[in-house]
Amino acid sequence: MNSAQPTFSKDRFPVTGMTCTACASSVETILMHTEGIQEASVNYATSTLSVTWDGRITPQGIDKALQEVGYGLVISTQELGESVREAQEKNYQQLKRQTLGAAIATLPIVVLGMFFMHWEPGRWISLVLCIPVLFYFGRHFFTRAVQLAKHGQANMDTLVALSTSIAFLFSTYSTLFSEFWLSKGLHPPVYFEAASVILVFVSLGKMLEERAKTNTGTALKKLIGLQPKTLIRLTATGQESIRLEEVALMDRILVKPGEKIPVDGQVLLGQSYLNESMLSGEYLPVAKSPGDAVFAGTLNQNGSLEIRAEKIGSSTLLGQIIQRVQEAQGSKAPVQRLVDKVSGIFVPVVVLIAIATFGLWMVFGGENALSHGILSAVSVLVIACPCALGLATPTALIVGMGKGAENQILIRDAESLELGHQVTALVLDKTGTLTLGKPKVSSQWFTTQESELDQTAVEALLLALERNSAHPLAEAVVAHLEGKNLRQVAVESFENIPGAGISGRVEGIRYFVGTKKWMQSQGIQLSTSPLAIEKEAAEKAQTLIWLCNETQVLAVLGIEDELKQNAKEVVESLRKMNVDVYLLTGDQYAPAKAVADQVGITQYQAECLPADKSNFIKGLQQQGKVVAMVGDGVNDAEALAQADVSIAMGMGSDIALDVAKITLVNSDLAKIPQALHLSKLTVHGIRQNLFWAFVYNLIGIPVAAGLLYPAFGILIDPMYASAAMALSSLSVVGNSLRLKTRRLD
């Protein structure tokens, strides 16, 4: 008899309680050892868990398993993005309250420890104030450390809990039994301020990190906002307004001018222009007529359209973009901090060294064995405090981010700053990135010798006609001609033909402005001279606008998106940094090639949809390349989310800015190589900091254990161990601050 195949379920849930990258690893490890869990992947940046389970466990059971180790699962009927935002905001507010409370209570402890260390009441006051700092405001460090220990896990929380609790317990003993030390001629050593300050600083870092994480879902929220909430459905009896969730396949939908297309489908009736820049990134509207495909989220600019719904909800192209952005953000594991990687080994090793130190002193220490053993063991734990290790990375990152901000480079993600120096491939969008994203008239040809009109009269005609059009190219023509003081011309019988151009009568004569193909369809004779213009225009990636009367060509205007001045130099700089540069654009092949040739890019692709850009980047990553993406539009959001390092132009769309982890405030291309160089300098500083932090521990721990006592009689008092700990932290901070003086060019 065949056994029934198990049924698997897969979903994504927000996770609460995570405060470091090691937390994400702990959640994965615990769940993979939980019965019924087939696969578990945690993204710390977005606080989400992707999990596959069978019938032996439920989401409620997964939540219970996580609660046992101090984490939790948000099981909600609302959208994932909204649930994540609520969970992250709740985490942030809780950390904020804990950090603020701990800081307020710690301030007098620090004052007492610095200026009144020999005042006996000061020790008692510090003891009373330290209790709420550690065991109320910082209780989550201790509860999680205990819960993780039960599962054989350890992270930075373990190290913080251990060092602060030992310092507190030892200080409490010294305060309660001060005569023990006084009888030996020693001042009772207390470390209440060290325990409190460590906890406050660590909590502050976690709070700031959580605050940054709450912004990661903004892009998804704005992408979802591109979908209309309501729409008009056509029925046999008339029209009805329905919510987007109620639309069904094959429904007939009416979309009026100024409204967004709610579904992917086909035009049944009507003609219009659609703004599809969210898909292609190009500023030119696309003409739509019966039989043409339309896509959800695009904007209807002119006439009314009746469309048939062929894809709805998550099946639409926009829905797929939203899904892919979620997957791209959720699939990339955060860069593990070195301190988190070694904590699982470092913590038990330090504990064993402290225990061994105490044991050796008890065996070989003679008459002072107990006091020297306790002092040395505590010195080991204090000198091994995670401050230097904990500060090594964040201080360099903070200074690096500040240096970037000074240079108009806003970095909101530490991982991107760390990864930037490893970039081997950089993908550029065209419109708005390499170019200014604003069409302008760059060339014009007049055939006045073939007509009775002079150039000024032709320009007046063209201005009068284009003023009646809302097309972006028309706006460029108007901007070009408005300052010439041309005579006013009255236009009658104005017509707008989507995908072709415009026409109107002036003094009884009909004039046409639009594409070459439309002119030919009107039977207008095109002379050899204007036709020769096309080759020149193609080389410059220009779009041609033709002005004709009913029989002949009067003028041809070349319109182009102007290239940024330093584009070629930036591409060359990137190439010198051994970075391969690629161009991906939603524009046609000819302008893509023209721009690529002008800036020196040999690898480019045209007519790219958002998914094409994302898949191209995936392909580069599969080749082992670290990929940076630079873009500015909604259509770039998916690719930006997929890239290892995402860079947005400051003048770009809000969605691109939200997805990207680095923003070039002034949209200056020269900032791209500067950002990569800043990453190199920052990572170099991190490595120096970690080196000195490890050297400090390698030297300090044996000395604190009493290694020098047999030969030189040197025994480090915990007070001096604390000072050494502070000095190591100061050296790390000082080294990080050196970055402020470095040049980026």
Side-chain angles (χ1 to χ4, degrees), residues 260-292:
K260 293 175 181 175
I261 305 295
V263 297
D264 288 3
Q266 188 180 76
V267 177
L268 299 176
L269 292 172
Q271 292 185 329
S272 184
Y273 280 105
L274 296 191
N275 183 340
E276 294 186 343
S277 60
M278 59 155 287
L279 299 178
S280 66
E282 300 307 309
Y283 52 82
L284 294 178
V286 180
K288 299 292 180 181
S289 54
D292 290 336

mmCIF file of all heavy atoms in Angstrom, residues 260-292:
data_model
loop_
_atom_site.group_PDB
_atom_site.id
_atom_site.type_symbol
_atom_site.label_atom_id
_atom_site.label_comp_id
_atom_site.label_asym_id
_atom_site.label_seq_id
_atom_site.Cartn_x
_atom_site.Cartn_y
_atom_site.Cartn_z
ATOM 1 N N LYS A 260 -5.112 55.342 -13.947
ATOM 2 C CA LYS A 260 -4.124 54.288 -14.129
ATOM 3 C C LYS A 260 -4.797 53.008 -14.637
ATOM 4 O O LYS A 260 -5.923 52.705 -14.267
ATOM 5 C CB LYS A 260 -3.393 54.001 -12.814
ATOM 6 C CG LYS A 260 -2.523 55.144 -12.333
ATOM 7 C CD LYS A 260 -1.917 54.852 -10.983
ATOM 8 C CE LYS A 260 -1.077 56.038 -10.510
ATOM 9 N NZ LYS A 260 -0.560 55.824 -9.131
ATOM 10 N N ILE A 261 -4.093 52.302 -15.472
ATOM 11 C CA ILE A 261 -4.589 51.017 -15.973
ATOM 12 C C ILE A 261 -4.573 50.022 -14.809
ATOM 13 O O ILE A 261 -3.526 49.827 -14.170
ATOM 14 C CB ILE A 261 -3.741 50.493 -17.142
ATOM 15 C CG1 ILE A 261 -3.652 51.546 -18.261
ATOM 16 C CG2 ILE A 261 -4.306 49.190 -17.665
ATOM 17 C CD1 ILE A 261 -4.953 51.866 -18.940
ATOM 18 N N PRO A 262 -5.703 49.352 -14.507
ATOM 19 C CA PRO A 262 -5.747 48.490 -13.320
ATOM 20 C C PRO A 262 -5.276 47.053 -13.549
ATOM 21 O O PRO A 262 -4.979 46.342 -12.599
ATOM 22 C CB PRO A 262 -7.233 48.513 -12.942
ATOM 23 C CG PRO A 262 -7.944 48.710 -14.245
ATOM 24 C CD PRO A 262 -7.039 49.533 -15.115
ATOM 25 N N VAL A 263 -5.249 46.602 -14.799
ATOM 26 C CA VAL A 263 -4.925 45.214 -15.115
ATOM 27 C C VAL A 263 -4.053 45.160 -16.370
ATOM 28 O O VAL A 263 -3.897 46.157 -17.065
ATOM 29 C CB VAL A 263 -6.213 44.380 -15.354
ATOM 30 C CG1 VAL A 263 -7.073 44.325 -14.096
ATOM 31 C CG2 VAL A 263 -7.011 44.963 -16.536
ATOM 32 N N ASP A 264 -3.503 43.996 -16.638
ATOM 33 C CA ASP A 264 -2.890 43.750 -17.947
ATOM 34 C C ASP A 264 -3.999 43.259 -18.885
ATOM 35 O O ASP A 264 -4.794 42.387 -18.517
ATOM 36 C CB ASP A 264 -1.797 42.682 -17.858
ATOM 37 C CG ASP A 264 -0.548 43.180 -17.157
ATOM 38 O OD1 ASP A 264 -0.548 44.339 -16.697
ATOM 39 O OD2 ASP A 264 0.424 42.395 -17.049
ATOM 40 N N GLY A 265 -4.049 43.824 -20.075
ATOM 41 C CA GLY A 265 -5.117 43.413 -20.972
ATOM 42 C C GLY A 265 -4.934 43.932 -22.380
ATOM 43 O O GLY A 265 -3.827 44.297 -22.795
ATOM 44 N N GLN A 266 -6.026 44.005 -23.103
ATOM 45 C CA GLN A 266 -6.019 44.419 -24.504
ATOM 46 C C GLN A 266 -7.062 45.507 -24.737
ATOM 47 O O GLN A 266 -8.153 45.459 -24.172
ATOM 48 C CB GLN A 266 -6.312 43.218 -25.410
ATOM 49 C CG GLN A 266 -6.141 43.491 -26.899
ATOM 50 C CD GLN A 266 -6.445 42.263 -27.735
ATOM 51 O OE1 GLN A 266 -7.587 41.883 -27.938
ATOM 52 N NE2 GLN A 266 -5.406 41.620 -28.208
ATOM 53 N N VAL A 267 -6.683 46.499 -25.560
ATOM 54 C CA VAL A 267 -7.608 47.587 -25.890
ATOM 55 C C VAL A 267 -8.693 47.055 -26.821
ATOM 56 O O VAL A 267 -8.399 46.452 -27.864
ATOM 57 C CB VAL A 267 -6.872 48.773 -26.536
ATOM 58 C CG1 VAL A 267 -7.871 49.864 -26.925
ATOM 59 C CG2 VAL A 267 -5.818 49.338 -25.599
ATOM 60 N N LEU A 268 -9.948 47.279 -26.457
ATOM 61 C CA LEU A 268 -11.080 46.904 -27.296
ATOM 62 C C LEU A 268 -11.602 48.089 -28.099
ATOM 63 O O LEU A 268 -11.884 47.967 -29.283
ATOM 64 C CB LEU A 268 -12.207 46.316 -26.438
ATOM 65 C CG LEU A 268 -11.874 45.052 -25.643
ATOM 66 C CD1 LEU A 268 -13.060 44.650 -24.780
ATOM 67 C CD2 LEU A 268 -11.465 43.912 -26.557
ATOM 68 N N LEU A 269 -11.726 49.252 -27.430
ATOM 69 C CA LEU A 269 -12.228 50.466 -28.068
ATOM 70 C C LEU A 269 -11.444 51.674 -27.572
ATOM 71 O O LEU A 269 -10.991 51.713 -26.434
ATOM 72 C CB LEU A 269 -13.717 50.672 -27.748
ATOM 73 C CG LEU A 269 -14.719 49.679 -28.346
ATOM 74 C CD1 LEU A 269 -16.110 49.923 -27.761
ATOM 75 C CD2 LEU A 269 -14.765 49.802 -29.881
ATOM 76 N N GLY A 270 -11.299 52.674 -28.467
ATOM 77 C CA GLY A 270 -10.688 53.934 -28.074
ATOM 78 C C GLY A 270 -9.239 54.050 -28.502
ATOM 79 O O GLY A 270 -8.587 53.059 -28.856
ATOM 80 N N GLN A 271 -8.739 55.276 -28.461
ATOM 81 C CA GLN A 271 -7.349 55.574 -28.754
ATOM 82 C C GLN A 271 -6.809 56.540 -27.702
ATOM 83 O O GLN A 271 -7.513 57.430 -27.236
ATOM 84 C CB GLN A 271 -7.202 56.194 -30.146
ATOM 85 C CG GLN A 271 -7.500 55.252 -31.299
ATOM 86 C CD GLN A 271 -7.228 55.886 -32.636
ATOM 87 O OE1 GLN A 271 -7.370 57.089 -32.795
ATOM 88 N NE2 GLN A 271 -6.841 55.087 -33.628
ATOM 89 N N SER A 272 -5.538 56.367 -27.343
ATOM 90 C CA SER A 272 -4.952 57.240 -26.334
ATOM 91 C C SER A 272 -3.440 57.075 -26.332
ATOM 92 O O SER A 272 -2.882 56.223 -27.031
ATOM 93 C CB SER A 272 -5.521 56.918 -24.950
ATOM 94 O OG SER A 272 -5.019 57.822 -23.975
ATOM 95 N N TYR A 273 -2.797 57.899 -25.530
ATOM 96 C CA TYR A 273 -1.386 57.765 -25.216
ATOM 97 C C TYR A 273 -1.257 57.282 -23.777
ATOM 98 O O TYR A 273 -1.938 57.779 -22.887
ATOM 99 C CB TYR A 273 -0.652 59.103 -25.349
ATOM 100 C CG TYR A 273 -0.292 59.495 -26.762
ATOM 101 C CD1 TYR A 273 -1.001 60.484 -27.422
ATOM 102 C CD2 TYR A 273 0.788 58.894 -27.409
ATOM 103 C CE1 TYR A 273 -0.665 60.872 -28.717
ATOM 104 C CE2 TYR A 273 1.131 59.276 -28.700
ATOM 105 C CZ TYR A 273 0.406 60.251 -29.345
ATOM 106 O OH TYR A 273 0.747 60.623 -30.625
ATOM 107 N N LEU A 274 -0.372 56.309 -23.548
ATOM 108 C CA LEU A 274 -0.104 55.835 -22.196
ATOM 109 C C LEU A 274 1.325 56.168 -21.797
ATOM 110 O O LEU A 274 2.257 56.007 -22.595
ATOM 111 C CB LEU A 274 -0.307 54.315 -22.083
ATOM 112 C CG LEU A 274 -1.705 53.743 -22.299
ATOM 113 C CD1 LEU A 274 -1.745 52.276 -21.883
ATOM 114 C CD2 LEU A 274 -2.751 54.533 -21.547
ATOM 115 N N ASN A 275 1.474 56.635 -20.582
ATOM 116 C CA ASN A 275 2.799 56.838 -20.004
ATOM 117 C C ASN A 275 3.261 55.500 -19.428
ATOM 118 O O ASN A 275 2.770 55.068 -18.385
ATOM 119 C CB ASN A 275 2.745 57.916 -18.924
ATOM 120 C CG ASN A 275 4.116 58.221 -18.342
ATOM 121 O OD1 ASN A 275 5.053 57.423 -18.444
ATOM 122 N ND2 ASN A 275 4.250 59.368 -17.716
ATOM 123 N N GLU A 276 4.215 54.855 -20.096
ATOM 124 C CA GLU A 276 4.715 53.552 -19.666
ATOM 125 C C GLU A 276 6.128 53.651 -19.118
ATOM 126 O O GLU A 276 6.886 52.669 -19.104
ATOM 127 C CB GLU A 276 4.673 52.554 -20.828
ATOM 128 C CG GLU A 276 3.253 52.222 -21.294
ATOM 129 C CD GLU A 276 3.208 51.125 -22.350
ATOM 130 O OE1 GLU A 276 4.271 50.841 -22.955
ATOM 131 O OE2 GLU A 276 2.139 50.539 -22.577
ATOM 132 N N SER A 277 6.483 54.821 -18.596
ATOM 133 C CA SER A 277 7.843 55.021 -18.093
ATOM 134 C C SER A 277 8.168 54.085 -16.931
ATOM 135 O O SER A 277 9.328 53.747 -16.711
ATOM 136 C CB SER A 277 8.045 56.480 -17.671
ATOM 137 O OG SER A 277 7.131 56.847 -16.642
ATOM 138 N N MET A 278 7.157 53.660 -16.169
ATOM 139 C CA MET A 278 7.401 52.731 -15.071
ATOM 140 C C MET A 278 7.908 51.381 -15.568
ATOM 141 O O MET A 278 8.544 50.630 -14.808
ATOM 142 C CB MET A 278 6.122 52.518 -14.260
ATOM 143 C CG MET A 278 4.944 51.979 -15.047
ATOM 144 S SD MET A 278 3.733 51.094 -14.071
ATOM 145 C CE MET A 278 4.583 49.584 -13.716
ATOM 146 N N LEU A 279 7.652 51.062 -16.842
ATOM 147 C CA LEU A 279 8.108 49.806 -17.421
ATOM 148 C C LEU A 279 9.384 49.972 -18.236
ATOM 149 O O LEU A 279 10.308 49.180 -18.122
ATOM 150 C CB LEU A 279 7.020 49.197 -18.318
ATOM 151 C CG LEU A 279 5.692 48.843 -17.647
ATOM 152 C CD1 LEU A 279 4.716 48.312 -18.679
ATOM 153 C CD2 LEU A 279 5.903 47.823 -16.546
ATOM 154 N N SER A 280 9.422 51.022 -19.052
ATOM 155 C CA SER A 280 10.539 51.199 -19.977
ATOM 156 C C SER A 280 11.561 52.222 -19.515
ATOM 157 O O SER A 280 12.711 52.184 -19.955
ATOM 158 C CB SER A 280 10.013 51.615 -21.357
ATOM 159 O OG SER A 280 9.413 52.911 -21.280
ATOM 160 N N GLY A 281 11.133 53.147 -18.655
ATOM 161 C CA GLY A 281 12.017 54.228 -18.242
ATOM 162 C C GLY A 281 12.077 55.375 -19.223
ATOM 163 O O GLY A 281 12.737 56.379 -18.964
ATOM 164 N N GLU A 282 11.383 55.259 -20.345
ATOM 165 C CA GLU A 282 11.446 56.279 -21.388
ATOM 166 C C GLU A 282 10.325 57.288 -21.220
ATOM 167 O O GLU A 282 9.214 56.955 -20.810
ATOM 168 C CB GLU A 282 11.374 55.635 -22.769
ATOM 169 C CG GLU A 282 12.513 54.654 -23.034
ATOM 170 C CD GLU A 282 13.878 55.250 -22.783
ATOM 171 O OE1 GLU A 282 14.143 56.347 -23.321
ATOM 172 O OE2 GLU A 282 14.675 54.653 -22.048
ATOM 173 N N TYR A 283 10.636 58.553 -21.556
ATOM 174 C CA TYR A 283 9.702 59.643 -21.322
ATOM 175 C C TYR A 283 8.617 59.755 -22.397
ATOM 176 O O TYR A 283 7.621 60.426 -22.198
ATOM 177 C CB TYR A 283 10.451 60.973 -21.217
ATOM 178 C CG TYR A 283 11.385 61.254 -22.377
ATOM 179 C CD1 TYR A 283 10.912 61.770 -23.571
ATOM 180 C CD2 TYR A 283 12.747 61.022 -22.254
ATOM 181 C CE1 TYR A 283 11.767 62.026 -24.631
ATOM 182 C CE2 TYR A 283 13.616 61.269 -23.314
ATOM 183 C CZ TYR A 283 13.132 61.782 -24.493
ATOM 184 O OH TYR A 283 13.971 62.031 -25.541
ATOM 185 N N LEU A 284 8.815 59.121 -23.545
ATOM 186 C CA LEU A 284 7.865 59.245 -24.643
ATOM 187 C C LEU A 284 6.615 58.407 -24.378
ATOM 188 O O LEU A 284 6.717 57.199 -24.126
ATOM 189 C CB LEU A 284 8.494 58.806 -25.957
ATOM 190 C CG LEU A 284 9.645 59.670 -26.482
ATOM 191 C CD1 LEU A 284 10.194 59.076 -27.762
ATOM 192 C CD2 LEU A 284 9.161 61.096 -26.724
ATOM 193 N N PRO A 285 5.414 59.005 -24.430
ATOM 194 C CA PRO A 285 4.184 58.221 -24.297
ATOM 195 C C PRO A 285 4.012 57.255 -25.461
ATOM 196 O O PRO A 285 4.514 57.490 -26.561
ATOM 197 C CB PRO A 285 3.083 59.282 -24.300
ATOM 198 C CG PRO A 285 3.727 60.569 -24.160
ATOM 199 C CD PRO A 285 5.128 60.447 -24.597
ATOM 200 N N VAL A 286 3.298 56.174 -25.212
ATOM 201 C CA VAL A 286 3.095 55.142 -26.220
ATOM 202 C C VAL A 286 1.646 55.177 -26.693
ATOM 203 O O VAL A 286 0.722 55.155 -25.883
ATOM 204 C CB VAL A 286 3.448 53.751 -25.651
ATOM 205 C CG1 VAL A 286 3.229 52.675 -26.712
ATOM 206 C CG2 VAL A 286 4.883 53.734 -25.147
ATOM 207 N N ALA A 287 1.455 55.246 -28.000
ATOM 208 C CA ALA A 287 0.109 55.273 -28.572
ATOM 209 C C ALA A 287 -0.561 53.914 -28.430
ATOM 210 O O ALA A 287 0.072 52.875 -28.629
ATOM 211 C CB ALA A 287 0.171 55.677 -30.040
ATOM 212 N N LYS A 288 -1.842 53.921 -28.067
ATOM 213 C CA LYS A 288 -2.611 52.700 -27.924
ATOM 214 C C LYS A 288 -3.912 52.805 -28.715
ATOM 215 O O LYS A 288 -4.596 53.826 -28.673
ATOM 216 C CB LYS A 288 -2.926 52.425 -26.447
ATOM 217 C CG LYS A 288 -1.690 52.230 -25.569
ATOM 218 C CD LYS A 288 -0.938 50.960 -25.901
ATOM 219 C CE LYS A 288 0.300 50.804 -25.008
ATOM 220 N NZ LYS A 288 1.071 49.589 -25.315
ATOM 221 N N SER A 289 -4.224 51.740 -29.409
ATOM 222 C CA SER A 289 -5.465 51.650 -30.188
ATOM 223 C C SER A 289 -5.977 50.215 -30.097
ATOM 224 O O SER A 289 -5.291 49.347 -29.521
ATOM 225 C CB SER A 289 -5.213 52.073 -31.636
ATOM 226 O OG SER A 289 -4.161 51.341 -32.208
ATOM 227 N N PRO A 290 -7.180 49.927 -30.604
ATOM 228 C CA PRO A 290 -7.729 48.570 -30.484
ATOM 229 C C PRO A 290 -6.756 47.487 -30.930
ATOM 230 O O PRO A 290 -6.116 47.592 -31.974
ATOM 231 C CB PRO A 290 -8.960 48.629 -31.384
ATOM 232 C CG PRO A 290 -9.416 50.055 -31.289
ATOM 233 C CD PRO A 290 -8.156 50.856 -31.222
ATOM 234 N N GLY A 291 -6.627 46.444 -30.090
ATOM 235 C CA GLY A 291 -5.716 45.340 -30.350
ATOM 236 C C GLY A 291 -4.389 45.445 -29.623
ATOM 237 O O GLY A 291 -3.665 44.455 -29.509
ATOM 238 N N ASP A 292 -4.029 46.648 -29.118
ATOM 239 C CA ASP A 292 -2.753 46.846 -28.427
ATOM 240 C C ASP A 292 -2.839 46.362 -26.975
ATOM 241 O O ASP A 292 -3.899 46.407 -26.347
ATOM 242 C CB ASP A 292 -2.343 48.320 -28.443
ATOM 243 C CG ASP A 292 -1.951 48.795 -29.833
ATOM 244 O OD1 ASP A 292 -1.566 47.944 -30.657
ATOM 245 O OD2 ASP A 292 -2.046 50.021 -30.092
#
